[in-house]
Structures are given as structure tokens and as C-alpha cells.
Amino acid sequence: MIKKILLICALVMTAIGVSAQKKVMFDLSHGQFQDTFVDSSYYDYVIPEYERIAREGGYTLVMNKSEITGQALEGIDALLILSPLAKSTQKNLTETEKRAIGDYIARGGSVMLFIDEEQYRVNLAEYGVNDITRRFGIEVLDDLDVPGNCGAVTFENEIFGGRREIPCSGVRGVRGGIPAGVCMEQGHQIASFIHLDNGGKLYVAGETMAALLMGYPDGERNVHKMMETRWWGKDSRTYMKELLEWALKK
């Protein structure tokens, strides 16, 4: 009898732990990973690696393939949106999504937005991300005139535990908010964030390579021939792991 009671208690505690586990919505509804100019296997590592990061952090990923609504965000602790990498596959944010995501942040939710360059990847005006970010004092700008594969670094702050080296090649500026990262050429701000009094958080970056977990541990920045660098930016995984931990922290 005692053994049965202990078993029931253990099952109840396990059930409570599972139900209390935090959830990150990983968006796949806006044309991500669908471009044809690179082989689809190029992206095969991304989601499995995020699933490993989630297991390490004790939270779960919820893959989203439909419109992001207020109802869809119920029970979600953080939302991660990587932009599409080709205008031909781009699916723009709907008015419903803009309102739902903005309201979610205002109520205390956490959102991380990565928006890639205009030249090859994302039509910014049509995509509509600034309709969300301007509400919180952040604006995604046009492409910066900087060399390819120039790299970027973060600041040590409430998100990152130190200076993180991340890949950066083809990048937009980001204005407003608290500066989080800068381009290694000319010091342009390329990422920023806000943290509301009620716990709401928004992180915005003008490049997607780090969110795709690109970069190599042995990459060394070639300041004279940057495009010959082996994707300089060794800290993409650490960067995203710390960012997700920050987003989930209350």
C-alpha cells in the first residue's frame, strides 16, 4: 500500500513538472526554410539543434505553422521568429498577427525577432515587422553598407554573459531600445531590446545568421579579405541559448 502511494505521488509530481515546463513557440509560418537557392538539407541541423538547446534548458519547443493569434499564444512563454531568407517565399505578418504579438509583449510575453537583409532576403515594408517593433520604440532600418562577412559582437548585459562573437554578412541597422550588438565594421547597432516593467520583452536583430546557428569555432576574422573568413562568429549557439534563457526568465 505504501509503495502504491509513493508511486502515485511520484506520478503526480512528474505530471506537475511536465505541465509547468515552459514553452517556446518556434515560428515556421512565414516562409522560413523554404527558399530554393540553397539545398533544403542546408537547414536540417537548425531545429534539431534548437531541440537540444531546449532540453538543456528544461523547456520545450512548440512548432507553429499557422497564423499567430492571441489564442495560439496562450500558454506560450516566448516566441521566436526568424525571417524567411528569400522574398519569393516570404509570407508577410498579418494585421491579426501584428496585433496579437504586440499585445502579447504588452501583457508580459517575450518575443525575439530576426529580420534579414533587403537585398536578397526580406522585403521589409511588406513583411511588416516594424508595425510591431515601433510600438515599443524599436525600428528595423535599411541594409547597412558594410563588407560581407564582417562579423558582429554583443555587449555584456542582462542577456549575454560576455562579448559574444556572431556571424554577420548582409545586415540591417536597428534603432532604438537598449543596444545589444554592433557590427564589427563602423560600429553600427544591429540588435536591441526592451524589458518592460511587467516582464514583457522584445529582442530585435537585423541579421539571421546567428539565429541559424552559423559560425565555426575555428573561424578567425580576416580583416583584409573578410569574405575569405571561415564564417567568423564562434558563439552563435551560446548567443541563442543565453537569449532564450533571458526570454524565459521572469
Side-chain angles (χ1 to χ4, degrees), residues 108-213:
S110 297
V111 174
M112 296 152 283
L113 298 171
F114 289 80
I115 303 91
D116 221 287
E117 64 181 326
E118 184 85 20
Q119 185 174 5
Y120 299 113
R121 315 297 188 199
V122 180
N123 184 312
L124 180 64
E126 293 182 4
Y127 189 53
V129 72
N130 274 329
D131 293 337
I132 299 170
T133 64
R134 286 190 185 118
R135 179 173 171 180
F136 302 96
I138 297 176
E139 184 175 11
V140 182
L141 307 174
D142 294 333
D143 293 355
L144 297 173
D145 184 15
V146 294
N149 199 13
C150 53
V153 293
T154 67
F155 303 119
E156 182 175 352
N157 52 28
E158 68 178 76
I159 304 174
F160 305 110
R163 177 185 183 273
R164 306 304 181 207
E165 299 175 5
I166 55 175
C168 177
S169 189
V171 60
R172 297 177 179 277
V174 174
R175 179 167 57 204
I178 302 169
V182 293
C183 180
M184 286 295 287
E185 288 293 318
Q186 305 166 33
H188 294 285
Q189 179 177 320
I190 63 164
S192 67
F193 68 98
I194 58 99
H195 191 167
L196 302 178
D197 290 341
N198 69 349
K201 298 173 184 177
L202 173 63
Y203 186 90
V204 182
E207 228 274 22
T208 308
M209 290 179 72
L212 289 170
L213 307 175

Side-chain angles (χ1 to χ4, degrees), residues 78-91:
L79 170 64
L80 174 60
I81 303 180
L82 280 60
S83 69
L85 293 184
K87 295 175 184 177
S88 60
T89 66
Q90 174 178 323
K91 293 183 180 179

Side-chain angles (χ1 to χ4, degrees), residues 214-241:
M214 297 178 70
Y216 299 101
D218 60 346
E220 292 185 11
R221 189 167 184 264
N222 186 330
V223 296
H224 302 293
K225 297 180 179 179
M226 293 178 193
M227 286 306 290
E228 293 182 12
T229 299
R230 179 174 153 80
W231 288 131
W232 184 84
K234 62 183 176 61
D235 296 321
S236 290
R237 192 182 193 279
T238 301
Y239 168 93
M240 289 307 301
K241 185 175 182 179

Side-chain angles (χ1 to χ4, degrees), residues 93-105:
L93 293 158
T94 67
E95 293 304 316
T96 295
E97 290 179 313
K98 294 173 189 177
R99 183 168 55 254
I101 294 170
D103 290 349
Y104 173 72
I105 298 167

